[in-house]
Amino acid sequence: PPLHEIKKPDQFIPIKGTATLYTFEDGKMDNTDFEIGKTYCVKKGVWHYLCVSEDALIAVVENTDLLPQDTERCELECLMQK
């Protein structure tokens, strides 16, 4: 699955189910297991991927002026080559 990089910050708020946020920044991969009701922020320009359970419900908060050209997608292999 592709990772996403958004030129604006993203916020995720888990409502139910389970989810893990994977981030890739400065050559380092990290992961965070979500807690229900807690807000998680991804800084602009950070590559990320969200893995969720089948019953997960996640609120995603983005800027209203987000455009398709503000998002880039890439497979993990291409990030490892950068």
Side-chain angles (χ1 to χ4, degrees):
L3 289 101
H4 303 271
E5 179 211 17
I6 298 183
K7 293 173 178 43
K8 300 184 181 203
D10 255 345
Q11 293 183 355
F12 300 96
I13 306 164
I15 297 167
K16 72 173 192 171
T18 59
T20 301
L21 175 68
Y22 294 89
T23 55
F24 188 90
E25 185 176 22
D26 298 326
K28 180 182 161 207
M29 177 75 83
D30 197 13
N31 65 297
T32 303
D33 293 327
F34 281 2
E35 295 177 34
I36 300 297
K38 186 174 177 182
T39 301
Y40 296 86
C41 299
V42 177
K43 297 181 292 184
K44 68 179 182 176
V46 174
W47 289 95
H48 60 283
Y49 178 76
L50 191 59
C51 184
V52 300
S53 64
E54 209 171 291
D55 65 335
L57 181 60
I58 310 288
V60 180
V61 180
E62 296 178 336
N63 290 332
T64 57
D65 63 344
L66 184 68
L67 302 171
Q69 60 264 31
D70 293 328
T71 302
E72 186 177 343
R73 297 171 192 271
C74 182
E75 296 294 330
L76 179 59
E77 292 79 20
C78 78
L79 289 178
M80 299 302 276
Q81 296 171 3
K82 288 187 177 187

